[in-house]
Amino acid sequence: MYEFSYYKSGSVEDAVEAMNKAEDGKFVAGGQTMLPTMKHRLASPSDVIDLGGIAELSGISVDGDSVTIGAMTTHAEVAASGDVQAMIPALAQLASGIGDPAVRNQGTLGGSIANNDPAADYPAAVIALGATVKTNKREIAADDFFTGMFETALEDDELITAVSFPKADSAAYMKFENPASRYAIVGVFLAKTGSAVRVGVTGATPCAHRGMRLEEALNSNFSADACDGVEIPVEKMNTDIHASAEYRAHLVKVMTKRAVAACS
Amino acid sequence: MPIVNMNVNGNPVTGEVEGRTLLVQFLRENLGLTGTHIGCDTSQCGSCVVHVDGKSVKSCTLLAVMADGSEVTTIEGLANGAELHPMQQAFMDNHGLQCGFCTPGMVMSALDIVNRNGNELDENTVRKELAGNICRCTGYHNIVKSVTAGAKAMGD
Ligand SMILES: Cc1cc2nc3c(=O)[nH]c(=O)nc-3n(C[C@H](O)[C@H](O)[C@H](O)COP(=O)(O)OP(=O)(O)OC[C@H]3O[C@@H](n4cnc5c(N)ncnc54)[C@H](O)[C@@H]3O)c2cc1C
Ligand code: FES
Ligand code: FES
């Protein structure tokens, strides 16, 4: 790891000020992606600004029909939260399946979506539930947040403070995981509210996205069979040592069908 | 250079580190607590697991400065003098190790499993919960037996 100067910030304003002063600064949350990346010298920030001391960024609250989760809330906290389990059980279950217990004790919601790894779990839920990403500057709708591989709508000095997830009538997350890392080879989050269905797909393509064709089919006929006729564009799928594009396209349908079955 | 203060295995410690010093380096190199191992550089093997404020973390994936002010427990903090902790004893009794490289991390993860799931553990729970700890020798079977037996012994 290259040298850097470290700063522990005490508040959101303080962190943003430190970022603006830094030559090439990076926020660190749980460090579960940042530190491995820095160890491999794939990132070499001049300044590392720790968000770990900012109490206001952690915690879970329920407000009417939505759950708001602070950016620094760990995966383990989301998984164990009675509020999340009661409002959106599929979200608690998603969090409980990220990595392993030690990763879940450190890794955070904000870090996961800011990083936007093509195989990360949370982006599928943010998209399918139509969540709102709250930052120090504005609120960003899920559909506008994830812009490309490891790319988001966030500006350099913009910090996620919380994510607000509206409750769905029913929801399920189905992941075909890489058995070594537990990252999603393909993950599908399905949320149904009234008769409207939203499908968030991760792992399949360079950036998590809405499965519009699947949504269309499921909106007119909410059944696993309805997915059969949907064409998944193979040319858009990722291909790597873990799975070919054809296999991923197949998995998108299978995971969606399992999610439909779980919501029926 | 930053100064860190922690309580490690019940002892207050202080030390000068670089920003980039990992917690595992601080434990091993500054404090000489070499029971915590480094088995990979991808945050996947779990041989470096310690408890920070009561929770299991990979000490290779945490900066020492991030753990400033916390309570840290390492494998060296478990035994009571010559008397092994029940979980350590269970690994010994059940042949839960061969080369022993993964063992400190396995034991620290095992204690975290007991903290969250109680003393009566079934095999599936243990296998699932040990997902972040890799062993190149044993084939896991006796590790699972050790964790289950150790959990039980801790409740007796
Ligand atoms: C062994 C292992 C297995 C894993 N398995 C999975 C898995 O199965 N599924 C999965 O989804 N993930 C997995 N992960 C990744 C894990 O979930 C990370 O915790 C997560 O991706 C990043 O969160 P973090 O809090 O550690 O962020 P960090 O690593 O601290 O930061 C990541 C990035 O986000 C930025 N950032 C952090 N917080 C904010 C904020 N509030 N505002 C703006 N920018 C911010 C940082 O600057 C950095 O660029 C795994 C990681 C490891 C090491
Ligand atoms: S050394 Fe920490 S996970 Fe391998
Ligand atoms: S006993 Fe050798 S790595 Fe586990």
Side-chain angles (χ1 to χ4, degrees), chain B residues 131-149:
Chain B
N133 292 78
I134 294 174
C135 175
R136 298 308 302 263
C137 304
T138 62
Y140 300 99
H141 195 68
N142 287 353
I143 293 179
V144 176
K145 271 210 272 186
S146 307
V147 175
T148 321

Side-chain angles (χ1 to χ4, degrees), chain A residues 16-37:
Chain A
V16 171
E17 195 186 316
M19 180 59 89
N20 282 323
K21 277 197 216 141
E23 192 186 313
D24 177 22
K26 271 275 191 195
F27 296 123
V28 68
Q32 302 303 286
T33 295
M34 263 280 273
L35 294 177
T37 311

Side-chain angles (χ1 to χ4, degrees), chain B:
Chain B
M1 287 211 294
I3 305 281
V4 292
N5 292 288
M6 296 172 208
N7 195 305
V8 178
N9 299 329
N11 305 311
V13 299
T14 184
E16 203 177 16
V17 295
E18 289 186 74
R20 62 179 169 176
T21 305
L22 299 168
L23 177 60
V24 70
Q25 290 172 314
F26 180 69
L27 294 171
R28 290 177 57 87
E29 292 163 26
N30 293 50
L31 305 181
L33 295 173
T34 52
T36 303
H37 293 167
I38 303 171
C40 73
D41 62 0
T42 52
S43 306
Q44 281 181 311
C45 77
S47 66
C48 63
V49 169
V50 302
H51 295 188
V52 172
D53 293 332
K55 289 179 184 151
S56 63
V57 301
K58 291 177 176 173
S59 61
C60 74
T61 314
L62 197 67
L63 299 173
V65 282
M66 290 168 86
D68 186 30
S70 49
E71 303 264 337
V72 179
T73 308
T74 70
I75 190 75
E76 289 91 345
L78 300 185
N80 183 4
E83 190 192 334
L84 292 180
H85 184 282
M87 189 59 81
Q88 292 173 305
Q89 188 64 46
F91 271 73
M92 195 165 150
D93 295 343
N94 291 280
H95 199 91
L97 60 145
Q98 288 178 24
C99 79
F101 199 87
C102 68
T103 315
M106 288 288 177
V107 171
M108 298 313 289
S109 288
L111 295 178
D112 186 65
I113 298 173
V114 177
N115 289 343
R116 286 177 296 111
N117 298 275
N119 298 95
E120 297 298 325
L121 298 174
D122 62 59
E123 183 184 334
N124 270 345
T125 307
V126 176
R127 287 187 184 273
K128 189 164 158 277
E129 292 278 346
L130 283 180
N133 292 78
I134 294 174
C135 175
R136 298 308 302 263
C137 304
T138 62
Y140 300 99
H141 195 68
N142 287 353
I143 293 179
V144 176
K145 271 210 272 186
S146 307
V147 175
T148 321
K152 223 183 181 82
M154 285 168 67
D156 294 342

Side-chain angles (χ1 to χ4, degrees), chain A residues 24-72:
Chain A
D24 177 22
K26 271 275 191 195
F27 296 123
V28 68
Q32 302 303 286
T33 295
M34 263 280 273
L35 294 177
T37 311
M38 288 170 66
K39 281 203 244 176
H40 290 145
R41 299 192 161 181
L42 295 170
S44 51
S46 62
D47 294 77
V48 168
I49 300 153
D50 191 354
L51 307 177
I54 312 179
E56 66 198 273
L57 292 181
S58 276
I60 297 168
S61 62
V62 175
D63 180 17
D65 268 347
S66 60
V67 197
T68 300
I69 305 179
M72 288 297 291

